[in-house]
């Protein structure tokens, strides 16, 4: 079984659309993250949730809204997609808010055309 | 900004030990050194972490200098599957502060 799974793996959409990326972890971890990896391959943290509560919210446009229905899921909804949102988005989870052995999903490649 | 400095790329012959350096001269007393790697098109993968002492697991060894200002990740017998970008990260073990990835070292394993 995949520890951290993201869907979809690929997403191609037009500018202005609204899309969601889903993430689920079956590790029983308390903390989940969203990262963005741009074309220059820099990995940047976007959000962090601990037990469904928002812990870290980096300088991310309001068009990005994470939602955590339970501690095993952290979904990312993006409104009014822009060309600059094209990137690979990674979900990750850790136990207890620490960074030891963070588990990452396989990523969602978002392409906005 | 990342608190670590790594060479942008390195080559290593298959079967040899790959030694990846990392400088973290501003590391604080309660900050750990973590290593992750990212194989092409995959999510980052945890390798190892340490505070002061050298550490070893099934994947690698971590050597931290006595002053803790630098460290070296050692892959004892590199294989082609070890070709990846390796990230050295410094942060406290538990906390809500940002987890910052630097540019990493792109390791090429040569057949």
């Amino acid at each position: 079984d995949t520890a951290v799974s993201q869907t979809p793996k690929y997403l191609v959409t037009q500018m202005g659309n609204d899309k969601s990326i889903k993430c689920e972890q079956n590790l029983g971890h308390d903390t989940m993250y969203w990262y963005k990896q741009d074309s220059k391959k820099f990995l940047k943290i976007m959000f962090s949730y601990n037990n469904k509560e928002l812990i870290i919210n980096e300088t991310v446009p309001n068009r990005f809204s994470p939602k955590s229905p339970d501690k095993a899921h952290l979904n990312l909804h993006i409104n009014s997609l822009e060309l600059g949102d094209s990137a690979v988005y990674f979900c990750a989870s850790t136990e207890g808010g620490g960074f030891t052995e963070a588990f990452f999903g396989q990523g969602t490649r978002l392409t906005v055309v | 900004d990342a608190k670590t400095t790594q060479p942008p790329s390195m080559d290593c012959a298959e079967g040899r030990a790959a030694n990846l350096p990392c400088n973290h001269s501003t590391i604080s007393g309660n900050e750990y050194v973590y290593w992750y790697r990212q194989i092409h098109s995959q999510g980052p993968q945890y390798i190892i972490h340490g505070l002061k002492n050298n550490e070893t697991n099934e994947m690698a060894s971590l050597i931290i200098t006595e002053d803790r200002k630098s460290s070296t990740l050692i892959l004892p017998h590199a294989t082609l599957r070890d070709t990846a970008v390796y990230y050295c990260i410094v942060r406290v073990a538990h906390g809500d502060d940002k987890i910052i990835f630097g540019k990493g070292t792109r390791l090429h394993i040569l057949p």
Side-chain angles (χ1 to χ4, degrees):
Chain A
D1 284 345
T2 304
V4 181
S5 59
Q6 298 178 225
T7 53
K9 188 171 182 180
Y10 300 97
L11 184 55
V12 181
T13 187
Q14 291 186 325
M15 283 175 55
N17 284 350
D18 303 337
K19 290 294 179 185
S20 292
I21 306 172
K22 296 185 177 181
C23 179
E24 176 182 6
Q25 54 95 1
N26 62 6
L27 299 165
H29 287 168
D30 296 323
T31 306
M32 297 183 71
Y33 309 81
W34 277 110
Y35 281 82
K36 178 181 179 181
Q37 187 167 41
D38 59 24
S39 58
K40 295 182 179 178
K41 302 299 183 184
F42 292 123
L43 266 166
K44 295 182 181 178
I45 189 168
M46 300 173 69
F47 301 102
S48 167
Y49 269 72
N50 181 268
N51 273 320
K52 302 194 296 177
E53 289 191 22
L54 182 64
I55 302 297
I56 294 174
N57 184 352
E58 282 299 286
T59 310
V60 176
N62 291 336
R63 301 181 293 103
F64 290 79
S65 53
K67 287 185 170 52
S68 182
D70 54 61
K71 75 173 192 177
H73 295 83
L74 181 62
N75 304 323
L76 185 65
H77 188 76
I78 315 170
N79 289 327
S80 303
L81 278 156
E82 300 177 357
L83 293 177
D85 298 331
S86 295
V88 181
Y89 292 84
F90 288 99
C91 177
S93 74
T94 61
E95 184 177 353
F99 194 52
T100 303
E101 293 194 72
F103 289 81
F104 284 78
Q106 289 302 296
T108 296
R109 182 174 294 277
L110 172 65
T111 304
V112 182
V113 297
Chain B
D1 288 339
K3 298 180 182 179
T4 61
T5 305
Q6 299 176 251
S9 66
M10 291 182 64
D11 292 339
C12 178
E14 190 177 15
R16 297 292 189 116
N19 297 289
L20 293 96
C22 179
N23 286 325
H24 31 79
S25 58
T26 61
I27 191 170
S28 300
N30 63 345
E31 287 182 319
Y32 286 68
V33 180
Y34 293 82
W35 283 85
Y36 279 73
R37 73 180 182 184
Q38 187 174 23
I39 296 170
H40 180 63
S41 299
Q42 297 183 22
Q45 176 192 23
Y46 167 84
I47 301 173
I48 199 168
H49 76 285
L51 181 63
K52 287 191 268 191
N53 299 322
N54 298 337
E55 302 288 343
T56 296
N57 63 21
E58 65 277 5
M59 287 183 70
S61 294
L62 174 60
I63 309 297
I64 302 174
T65 58
E66 194 169 341
D67 63 8
R68 302 208 324 122
K69 292 185 177 181
S70 65
S71 60
T72 301
L73 178 74
I74 301 172
L75 307 178
H77 305 287
T79 70
L80 295 177
R81 286 177 290 185
D82 293 321
T83 294
V85 178
Y86 287 77
Y87 296 98
C88 172
I89 299 161
V90 163
R91 64 155 285 167
V92 295
H94 293 275
D96 299 333
D97 60 320
K98 293 179 285 187
I99 304 163
I100 300 174
F101 284 82
K103 298 179 183 179
T105 296
R106 184 170 295 278
L107 177 66
H108 299 276
I109 304 301
L110 307 175

